[in-house]
Amino acid sequence: MMKPDSDLFAAMSLINLEGDLLDQGEFNAWLELWQRDGLYVVPIDPQETDFKNTLNYACDDHEMRARRVKRLYSGESISTTPRARTLRTLSRFRLLESQDDVIVVRGAQSLWEHRKGHSRHYAADITWQLQRQGDQLLIKQKVIRLINSDDVLHSIGYIL
């Protein structure tokens, strides 16, 4: 069993890799960071915990994540053409849980998106539930709680 400090460091390494892959547009590599039964969630209600039975901006299983990536690569959606340039700043990592095969980390993300001469900023609290599979960590669940999630949001067709 790992110690909490090494668990947090391993989790932060995966989380930073995820952010870099998304900012660089390496979406297929991003898909490989996920457990097949993992869940990517962007809830509207910042207090919500029952994601499968409420309305969310996103509540993506494996198939929906793959479809989202396909849309981002294909340009089929007006919200992805041209593809937004993004820059994520990740910070304030806190280890919430460290069990035999599960690590839960909460952190902050500031995301800048630029497309067609316009920039937008999104800030969020994010909780990652990571699961050990052999000697690697995979994302089991990622919940992005935007600080303005109950406002009208524009063009969040990309991956937060």
Side-chain angles (χ1 to χ4, degrees), residues 31-96:
L31 286 173
E32 294 175 16
L33 299 179
W34 285 84
Q35 279 197 321
R36 190 158 179 88
D37 63 344
L39 200 58
Y40 167 85
V41 183
V42 184
I44 294 171
D45 178 350
Q47 303 303 315
E48 189 58 64
T49 57
D50 185 8
F51 308 120
K52 292 187 177 183
N53 293 305
T54 56
L55 184 62
N56 302 285
Y57 288 111
C59 188
D60 295 357
D61 58 11
H62 173 75
E63 182 180 338
M64 290 303 293
R65 286 190 305 275
R67 286 182 182 182
R68 187 177 297 274
V69 164
K70 182 180 177 189
R71 277 194 315 276
L72 287 168
Y73 279 133
S74 72
E76 292 172 3
S77 171
I78 194 164
S79 67
T80 62
T81 307
R83 184 175 68 81
R85 293 176 56 208
T86 59
L87 178 66
R88 287 161 180 77
T89 302
L90 299 157
S91 63
R92 200 197 71 217
F93 298 106
R94 179 178 172 203
L95 184 66
L96 298 179

Side-chain angles (χ1 to χ4, degrees), residues 4-154:
D5 287 346
S6 60
D7 282 352
L8 182 58
F9 181 78
M12 289 171 56
S13 295
L14 176 65
I15 291 165
N16 283 318
L17 172 60
E18 179 197 27
D20 183 66
L21 291 174
L22 291 172
D23 286 341
Q24 300 305 316
E26 298 177 36
F27 305 119
N28 284 327
W30 174 75
L31 286 173
E32 294 175 16
L33 299 179
W34 285 84
Q35 279 197 321
R36 190 158 179 88
D37 63 344
L39 200 58
Y40 167 85
V41 183
V42 184
I44 294 171
D45 178 350
Q47 303 303 315
E48 189 58 64
T49 57
D50 185 8
F51 308 120
K52 292 187 177 183
N53 293 305
T54 56
L55 184 62
N56 302 285
Y57 288 111
C59 188
D60 295 357
D61 58 11
H62 173 75
E63 182 180 338
M64 290 303 293
R65 286 190 305 275
R67 286 182 182 182
R68 187 177 297 274
V69 164
K70 182 180 177 189
R71 277 194 315 276
L72 287 168
Y73 279 133
S74 72
E76 292 172 3
S77 171
I78 194 164
S79 67
T80 62
T81 307
R83 184 175 68 81
R85 293 176 56 208
T86 59
L87 178 66
R88 287 161 180 77
T89 302
L90 299 157
S91 63
R92 200 197 71 217
F93 298 106
R94 179 178 172 203
L95 184 66
L96 298 179
E97 182 181 334
S98 179
Q99 298 296 324
D100 293 338
D101 62 345
V102 175
I103 299 172
V104 179
V105 173
R106 185 172 54 223
Q109 175 177 279
S110 180
L111 178 116
W112 288 94
E113 173 249 349
H114 183 80
R115 183 167 40 108
K116 297 181 182 178
H118 299 283
S119 292
R120 289 194 174 91
H121 177 243
Y122 297 101
D125 278 313
I126 301 180
T127 304
W128 292 266
Q129 182 181 31
L130 310 175
Q131 190 156 12
R132 289 185 185 87
Q133 204 159 7
D135 54 350
Q136 69 174 350
L137 286 175
L138 294 175
I139 302 169
K140 174 76 173 173
Q141 180 172 279
K142 179 181 179 183
V143 180
I144 301 107
R145 295 182 189 284
L146 295 165
I147 62 167
N148 61 338
S149 63
D150 49 2
D151 292 345
V152 175
L153 300 179
H154 301 281

